[in-house]
Amino acid sequence: MATDRTPESRVDVCIVGAGPAGALMAAKLAGQGHEVVVLEAGPRFESDQRLERMERAIRPGIEADVWDMGGDRDAYTSDGDRHYPLNVARVKGVGGSTLHWQGMVMRLHESDFAGTVATGEDPAWPLTYDDLRPHYSEVERAFGVSGAADNPFAPPRDGPFPMPAFPPSYSDSLFAPACEELGISMHSVPNARNSESYDGRSECVGYGTCQPVCPSGAKYSADVHIETAEERGARVIDRAPVQRLETADSGERVTAAVYATPDGETHRQEARQFVLAAGGVEIPRLLLLSRNEAHPDGLANSSGLVGRFFMDHLFAGAGGTIDEPTRQNHVGFLTSETHQFYDDPGQAVRDRDGNVVVPATDEPLAPMKLEFFNYAGPSPVELALSGDSFGDELLDDLRDAYGNSIAMGGLVGQRPDRSNRITLDASTTDDHGNPVPSIEWSLDARTERTLERANAIQTAILDELGVDISWTVGPADTGPGYHHMGTTRMGTDPAESVVDARLRTHDVANLTVASSSVFPSSGAMNPTLTIGALALKAADHVDADL
């Protein structure tokens, strides 16, 4: 039986994108009695196929992408100082990026909302932490977050986490005395995965393949709330990529989302309110594709900032080997980190006797968070496949190469720069003949300084631990966290931003953007919890408008 992908005749809200923001908004708005349609460019991925997809990820010799990314549908180009590997870590489908995310969910700090007053490099947000605080609690309950209130640097919260934190790993216990010697505080990592049964989903069973797939369902993915939305009456149409948004002659309101279907047909979904929840690359692309006489430079782009200020988080890391077993276990997620250097990255690091190990600096730096890895060694499967030995000799070789590696990682926030942007590349088209997104991306001096700073602190901890450091990832060879931010930035001035504090576009009265694309600055925290909190807040505003 063919799937019906024809439009609904009466709709209150049309949501573009079935990732975490779109799913949360659909579930909440449908629960408030509104008629909701969700248009998702990718397919549904059935839960009973998760084990097969996990096997695809870990079995040698299988080159097919776990989530079927690639080809003309997902084509892009990259320009600027650095190539941006867009398709390495995105998913088009019901559930979006949460199908393959690591699941770490931290709240932004109060300082992130205030911006950097001294240098002005990070603009203030048009809302405060307290404005978002109740929605942070709401989204933690929705996701199911395991955590503990043991982080002395975290912003204030109301009440405990929904579930207790995962216990520290064995390798965390190895880091602990070195950090204590250097006065560095370790604390737990909030995770959107079940440490016990929650919301009808089992506790984590330790497959260790959280990225790119959790076969047990213990890690939250947005298809959970898509199912909730459908139970409440919402309709979700998959494999329905939106080609453009149409507006009334005045351009003040969106009248329809024009989408394609696999049978080659094109349809128009009309609605009273529209929400874009398709991520920090596809949202600006769609707005630029929707240019018309009333919006000649792209929809909601009177500021000229649609697509500009593209930001990501940059990876910093260091590791090596230690003369004792580390009991390596590819848990798949982190259990300990430190935010000690988040608000004050230039502070000195001293040992127990007061000797300076990492000198203080007053140079402008970005926020950073540092992570203690549970798994840092080579893959024994890859070692076996690439080696020349067999049998007992192979076993001895694996024992020599595996089991005493240890490492740290971390994320550094990127400064917003208007030259980093998403544009349309008409020289390359997708499977429907539309220009593909082009990413212009480079790193600024502040980000590079902060990466060097993160490496210095990581090296100090590893040296204290007695690690023979064999690798470091810093400014020259860093890579992105695949957290797409800033391309429809939030602000009070329509000339300097795309959306306002309630995430409605300045130019179009019935168009809301729910995504990290609205972030004015990047911070250094994984963004999904903030995306969810903003989406739930925006749902309240859309509900009030209806």
Side-chain angles (χ1 to χ4, degrees), residues 321-332:
T321 56
I322 188 172
D323 288 335
E324 65 176 288
T326 57
R327 300 187 191 175
Q328 287 175 313
N329 181 15
H330 196 174
V331 176

Side-chain angles (χ1 to χ4, degrees), residues 242-275:
V242 176
Q243 308 297 293
R244 65 186 181 276
L245 300 175
E246 294 181 344
T247 65
D249 291 342
S250 65
E252 295 178 357
R253 298 183 68 85
V254 176
T255 55
V258 178
Y259 64 96
T261 55
D263 58 9
E265 296 295 320
T266 300
H267 301 284
R268 298 174 69 257
Q269 179 60 67
E270 299 180 353
R272 297 166 62 195
Q273 293 282 334
F274 290 81
V275 176

